[in-house]
Amino acid sequence: MLFRVSLNGSLSNYNEVLNRLDLVAKRQRGKIIYTYIEKSLREFQDTVEVRELDLPDSLVRALESYGIRRLYRFQVEALEKYREGKDIVIVAGTGTGKTEAFTIPLLEDMIKRKEAFRKPYALLVYPTKALARDQYIRLKRLAEGHLGYRVAVLDGDTPRDERARIYSDPPHILVTNPDMIHYGLIHSQQIRRLLSNAQVLVLDEMHVYKGIFGTHVKWVVYRLQRLTGELRFIGAGATIGNPEELGSKLFGRRPQVIEGPRRRKGEAIHALLSIGSGSRWTLAAAVISVLTRMGLKTLAFVDSQQMAELVARISRRSYGVKIGVHRAGLPAEYRKKVEDEFREGDLMAVVATPTMELGIDLGDLDAVLMVNLPHSFSSYLQRAGRAGRRDNPGLIVTLLGDSPIEAYFMRRPGEFFKQSPDPSYIEPSNKEIARLHLTALVMQEGLVDRDTLPRELVSVIDEAVSLGLVKDVRGKLYPDWGKARQYIEEQGGLRSVGPRVKIMEDGRKNIGYREMPAALYDLYPGAIYYHMGRAYLSVQLDLNRMVAEVRRLGADVNFYTKPLYTVDVVEILPIESRDSGPLHLVYADVKLVVMVTGYVVREEYTGRKLYVNDYKEPITWSYYTKALVTKYPNPGITSQTALISGYHALEHALIAAAKPVVGAADTDLGGVSYPSGHIVIYDSAPGGHGASRLVFERLERIHEVAEKILVECDCDDGCPKCVYSPYCGNNNMFLSRKNAHRILAYTYKLYEAMVRPVKELKPVGKPLA
């Protein structure tokens, strides 16, 4: 029977929900292992009246009409620093008022200038079109409705007549996205002329600008700054562990950080649920069913496109749940339809990848289910903040199962909620991305003096010239327009790097794209590939043409596939090095060779292995990326098999331990281990995205977490809770938890032997005055 749980503004009314979830988990020997009550923060009690802030009278009236009579302390600080002419980064939790923290200073400055400024005065940049349009409605009500400042959206969906008006009569505030700026600077003289007037750039949802996407945006900002000549910067994000560092990399200069409340404004209950002996995906579908039948609008998060499709499939087929899927790779109109139906209540459940992690208005959202532990605590906070955002308590349920880091937090659940937001990372020296933006910049300006370029762009000039993208005539760079346009078109936007594989159904219909190397792991021959709720069989992957041929299957597919592969490091080009006790750590460019040798087929509900298929000839692809390279000692293990098993298990433990330390997703980092003791932990993206640099910088903390993973597991000598990995290319063969711990313990012993003599030195003579 479907009924609506009455919250009445109280968390205690969720007891019945939690009891039902516990019963569902117990059916597969799981249970609720921990609950955490999140209360309102004191920071929201410390406010200042807007009439006390020396704001223009018209702005005060507008704010009061909008319902804002008091500002929080961090909003006041943002106003003061902006008045001082500072670049600022505002860090505040979801729903705490960070939008108003940068909007009010912008509006005040425009009022005081009395129209003595070029238009658009400010560019407000959001990572997606959907989010930009969602925020546009809020901005329009305040800036346009109460003050008469025009706000407009410029993106790929802006109608032609509206674009013409924007070009001829620019708005005071222009809302857009990084992709529009990127392509507009290259292809449109009208957009270049429009953007050249901007005096302020706001990057909202700044925590999203990390990894590959963040590195792209760093260079888009650089190109925009060259166009405008002078530009003020504002960043705003919900969860950033290193805001000053990230702001410095994105903006090219150091900003002033404004710290607001990191947590939500209201209350929430967080529940950690162990999955027991059953399937994570089946339990996720059961939890979705329980929550929706109790009338709770539920958003479920997974970190894989294919797992999003799988959870939705089980929810529909086994529980009759009407559920939508929201993920990258789906048509924009399909995702918009899902958003609208979810907002209006036509859908009570959606399963999504991080595409719904951002602040798109989803209406009254009661519950968030995290099917996997998110790759970072910042991501957890961002997702959790989606529930209960309209002064109602939220419910956040997280499934913990058989991954090393999930087992780590199952043993110490209270520690999970005491974490600080993790650092964001980008890699400006990614040569794939630098080459793209060098080409884009030369097309944007027509003529570029190489002496004016930063070293990262200078380093790829020769390669761009050899590819025929640009011409270098005595240090002056010109574009080869035809080849450059084709190259830009083939790159596939700002969220990917390297080549894309076109997915063709029956050789005729293009149903989507997948970037390399992910395409190698998703579209190998024999792979089951899910797209828009349908199951496909990959019948051919042609890397020469970058085309995957797929065939649609019937509705009765009850299994899934995982690739078997090897990765080998064939070249190491050191960038930086340091010593950590007996270990010599090298951060380097490395060339990887990936060989997919076959695949394993598993039962959909239990994950049980059905059979393994080996290829006669492997599928091979190579690329350069960034990596940490080091060599661990041998503690005296004489068996070659035991040694290999120890190094391999240690590699898995280090990658798992890096997840909470550097905030890397499961698929952000890969690893290779060798019988010699060499372990390589690399960025999965071509050219690198910055995660392995943080591993290089924070290996000591990663060792601490890895040691607990290895010591505290109660298995015989290796299991999914300590050293097994779902991403292991050789199906988790040759893994020994005990030998991995022996190696790590011996490394610690050598380290202690190195530092003890220094510690034992006693002072001689009298201290200096």
Side-chain angles (χ1 to χ4, degrees):
M1 179 178 179
L2 179 66
F3 66 97
R4 183 81 176 175
V5 174
S6 177
L7 303 181
N8 297 324
S10 172
L11 292 169
S12 63
N13 294 301
Y14 270 124
N15 285 337
E16 184 178 357
V17 181
L18 295 175
N19 288 336
R20 291 197 181 195
L21 292 178
D22 200 41
L23 286 174
V24 167
K26 284 177 178 176
R27 291 173 189 164
Q28 60 181 48
R29 299 184 181 177
K31 63 179 180 179
I32 292 179
I33 61 171
Y34 193 81
T35 56
Y36 167 74
I37 305 296
E38 185 179 354
K39 298 291 187 180
S40 295
L41 296 174
R42 292 182 180 178
E43 286 94 327
F44 293 108
Q45 300 169 13
D46 187 11
T47 60
V48 178
E49 285 195 20
V50 295
R51 290 186 175 273
E52 298 177 7
L53 296 173
D54 194 28
L55 293 168
D57 290 341
S58 59
L59 181 54
V60 171
R61 290 193 298 271
L63 292 172
E64 290 179 341
S65 300
Y66 192 68
I68 299 175
R69 287 179 165 76
R70 305 185 71 86
L71 296 184
Y72 302 118
R73 285 291 177 184
F74 83 94
Q75 295 172 321
V76 175
E77 185 182 358
L79 175 64
E80 291 171 347
K81 294 302 179 185
Y82 191 82
R83 286 170 172 172
E84 294 172 9
K86 307 281 190 182
D87 296 317
I88 59 176
V89 171
I90 304 162
V91 184
T94 302
T96 60
K98 64 181 181 295
T99 299
E100 288 74 20
F102 64 75
T103 303
I104 292 171
L106 294 179
L107 294 174
E108 181 193 47
D109 199 36
M110 285 192 291
I111 292 170
K112 288 183 174 180
R113 288 172 179 248
K114 303 183 187 305
E115 295 287 339
F117 54 83
R118 304 183 307 274
K119 295 189 297 182
Y121 169 74
L123 300 179
L124 269 57
V125 178
Y126 291 88
T128 66
K129 289 191 294 185
L131 184 58
R133 290 186 173 272
D134 191 68
Q135 295 298 314
Y136 159 73
I137 296 171
R138 296 175 60 188
L139 292 164
K140 187 178 176 69
R141 281 180 55 202
L142 177 59
E144 193 166 321
H146 295 290
L147 292 169
Y149 289 126
R150 192 158 64 89
V151 183
V153 176
L154 182 64
D155 60 25
D157 297 334
T158 304
R160 182 175 297 179
D161 56 346
E162 175 63 13
R163 285 194 186 208
R165 185 190 176 197
I166 290 172
Y167 298 149
S168 62
D169 181 19
H172 298 84
I173 298 174
L174 183 67
V175 182
T176 187
N177 59 72
D179 298 86
M180 194 69 191
I181 297 175
H182 167 55
Y183 288 112
L185 290 176
I186 297 171
H187 298 302
S188 172
Q189 184 176 353
Q190 290 174 305
I191 291 179
R192 286 196 294 271
R193 187 183 302 117
L194 176 73
L195 298 181
S196 68
N197 290 329
Q199 293 119 81
V200 184
L201 173 69
V202 179
L203 289 185
D204 201 359
E205 304 290 349
M206 186 171 137
H207 51 278
V208 176
Y209 301 123
K210 62 186 291 186
I212 292 300
F213 187 35
T215 305
H216 274 297
V217 170
K218 182 258 189 313
W219 291 118
V220 171
V221 171
Y222 170 76
R223 289 162 48 202
L224 181 65
Q225 190 174 18
R226 282 179 66 108
L227 178 74
T228 60
E230 192 62 42
L231 203 58
R232 290 272 301 277
F233 295 116
I234 298 177
T239 48
I240 309 171
N242 56 341
E244 185 177 15
E245 179 185 357
L246 180 62
S248 297
K249 287 185 176 180
L250 289 172
F251 301 148
R253 57 180 186 251
R254 195 167 298 278
Q256 178 81 42
V257 176
I258 310 296
E259 293 276 1
R262 292 295 186 110
R263 299 298 180 92
R264 71 175 68 238
K265 191 174 180 180
E267 297 184 327
I269 185 166
H270 302 252
L272 302 181
L273 191 68
S274 70
I275 66 173
S277 58
S279 161
R280 181 189 301 272
W281 321 115
T282 303
L283 179 58
V287 169
I288 291 168
S289 175
V290 167
L291 295 177
T292 54
R293 287 181 184 278
M294 296 187 78
L296 299 177
K297 187 190 286 187
T298 303
L299 175 59
F301 282 107
V302 297
D303 288 327
S304 159
Q305 295 184 18
Q306 294 304 287
M307 292 306 104
E309 297 281 1
L310 180 63
V311 170
R313 179 184 177 86
I314 297 173
S315 299
R316 295 188 195 105
R317 198 162 67 177
S318 299
Y319 298 98
V321 177
K322 185 181 179 183
I323 187 170
V325 174
H326 196 282
R327 64 170 179 83
L330 295 174
E333 60 271 17
Y334 180 90
R335 294 200 303 269
K336 181 67 164 57
K337 181 173 181 288
V338 170
E339 292 165 15
D340 291 343
E341 291 180 354
F342 197 40
R343 184 183 302 109
E344 299 302 321
D346 296 329
L347 282 175
M348 287 295 289
V350 168
V351 57
T353 56
T355 54
M356 273 196 170
E357 193 172 293
L358 305 180
I360 300 170
D361 182 15
L362 300 176
D364 294 313
L365 184 60
D366 302 300
V368 165
L369 169 65
M370 303 194 206
V371 181
N372 315 81
L373 191 67
H375 64 271
S376 68
F377 190 58
S378 294
S379 183
Y380 178 88
L381 294 176
Q382 187 70 19
R383 296 177 184 186
R386 303 311 314 266
R389 291 184 61 183
R390 297 194 175 181
D391 298 322
N392 283 322
L395 172 67
I396 300 95
V397 180
T398 303
L399 304 188
L400 298 180
D402 54 0
S403 79
I405 207 62
E406 288 177 347
Y408 175 90
F409 283 120
M410 274 200 282
R411 293 188 291 266
R412 45 179 65 77
E415 185 178 312
F416 177 76
F417 294 101
K418 294 177 182 178
Q419 298 179 86
S420 299
D422 38 82
S424 294
Y425 50 82
I426 64 175
E427 182 48 81
S429 64
N430 180 311
K431 291 191 176 182
E432 297 285 337
I433 297 176
R435 185 171 65 246
L436 169 70
H437 288 282
L438 171 70
T439 305
L441 178 64
V442 176
M443 294 175 70
Q444 169 185 326
E445 297 186 1
L447 168 64
V448 173
D449 188 334
R450 68 179 293 156
D451 292 338
T452 66
L453 297 175
R455 59 178 177 80
E456 294 92 345
L457 297 188
V458 171
S459 71
V460 296
I461 290 175
D462 290 345
E463 188 176 357
V465 171
S466 68
L467 292 172
L469 304 174
V470 302
K471 301 174 183 178
D472 185 352
V473 181
R474 293 185 294 279
K476 308 297 182 184
L477 305 180
Y478 305 84
D480 183 310
W481 292 102
K483 290 182 179 179
R485 284 195 184 97
Q486 181 181 355
Y487 171 72
I488 293 292
E489 183 179 345
E490 290 173 348
Q491 294 309 297
L494 301 181
R495 285 155 184 81
S496 61
V497 61
R500 295 187 302 166
V501 171
K502 182 187 296 185
I503 307 171
M504 300 296 294
E505 181 181 357
D506 297 327
R508 298 186 303 272
K509 182 182 178 183
N510 179 9
I511 64 170
Y513 294 89
R514 199 76 174 99
E515 295 82 17
M516 292 291 284
L520 198 61
Y521 305 133
D522 285 350
L523 291 162
Y524 49 89
I528 299 299
Y529 184 77
Y530 290 101
H531 181 73
M532 295 182 66
R534 304 185 184 100
Y536 293 84
L537 173 68
S538 177
V539 295
Q540 184 183 26
L541 177 60
D542 187 339
L543 295 183
N544 292 320
R545 296 188 300 130
M546 286 292 163
V547 172
E549 302 280 354
V550 300
R551 185 174 69 241
R552 191 183 303 185
L553 300 175
D556 56 349
V557 177
N558 58 4
F559 58 90
Y560 64 93
T561 59
K562 290 285 187 180
L564 300 174
Y565 60 91
T566 63
V567 179
D568 196 17
V569 180
V570 297
E571 190 175 352
I572 299 173
L573 304 171
I575 299 172
E576 189 176 341
S577 66
R578 71 181 183 91
D579 289 330
S580 176
L583 302 180
H584 183 62
L585 312 182
V586 177
Y587 181 64
D589 281 306
V590 298
K591 184 178 183 181
L592 304 180
V593 176
V594 183
M595 290 192 295
V596 178
T597 59
Y599 57 92
V600 60
V601 181
R602 296 188 179 275
E603 204 272 330
E604 182 176 82
Y605 292 95
T606 66
R608 181 174 60 89
K609 182 169 68 176
L610 299 177
Y611 66 89
V612 174
N613 184 58
D614 293 314
Y615 296 145
K616 291 181 179 179
E617 294 290 336
I619 302 171
T620 303
W621 192 65
S622 64
Y623 65 102
Y624 282 93
T625 187
K626 299 288 192 301
L628 161 72
V629 183
T630 192
K631 181 181 180 181
Y632 285 84
N634 181 350
I637 299 173
T638 57
S639 164
Q640 186 77 343
T641 301
L643 195 60
I644 291 171
S645 299
Y647 288 134
H648 187 193
L650 180 58
E651 170 219 318
H652 282 195
L654 292 174
I655 292 174
K659 188 174 180 178
V661 177
V662 307
D666 288 333
T667 54
D668 281 347
L669 292 169
V672 189
S673 57
Y674 292 92
S676 62
H678 286 92
I679 290 180
V680 179
I681 298 177
Y682 60 84
D683 292 337
S684 57
H689 48 49
S692 66
R693 175 176 281 280
L694 285 183
V695 175
F696 167 76
E697 294 171 352
R698 301 177 180 216
L699 187 63
E700 290 81 6
R701 173 59 183 149
I702 292 170
H703 278 161
E704 293 174 9
V705 177
E707 183 183 33
K708 292 175 182 177
I709 290 172
L710 295 170
V711 170
E712 296 176 358
C713 192
D714 57 5
C715 70
D716 180 37
D717 196 25
C719 73
K721 293 183 179 180
C722 55
V723 295
Y724 286 9
S725 168
Y727 305 98
C728 180
N730 70 0
N731 211 18
N732 289 301
M733 295 175 61
F734 302 109
L735 289 168
S736 169
R737 173 180 66 86
K738 293 177 181 177
N739 286 332
H741 181 245
R742 283 184 65 187
I743 294 166
L744 189 57
Y746 184 64
T747 303
Y748 275 133
K749 183 178 179 181
L750 293 177
Y751 180 81
E752 290 172 359
M754 294 174 66
V755 301
R756 187 181 299 116
V758 177
K759 290 182 177 179
E760 291 176 351
L761 285 176
K762 298 186 183 301
V764 178
K766 296 180 180 180
L768 294 174

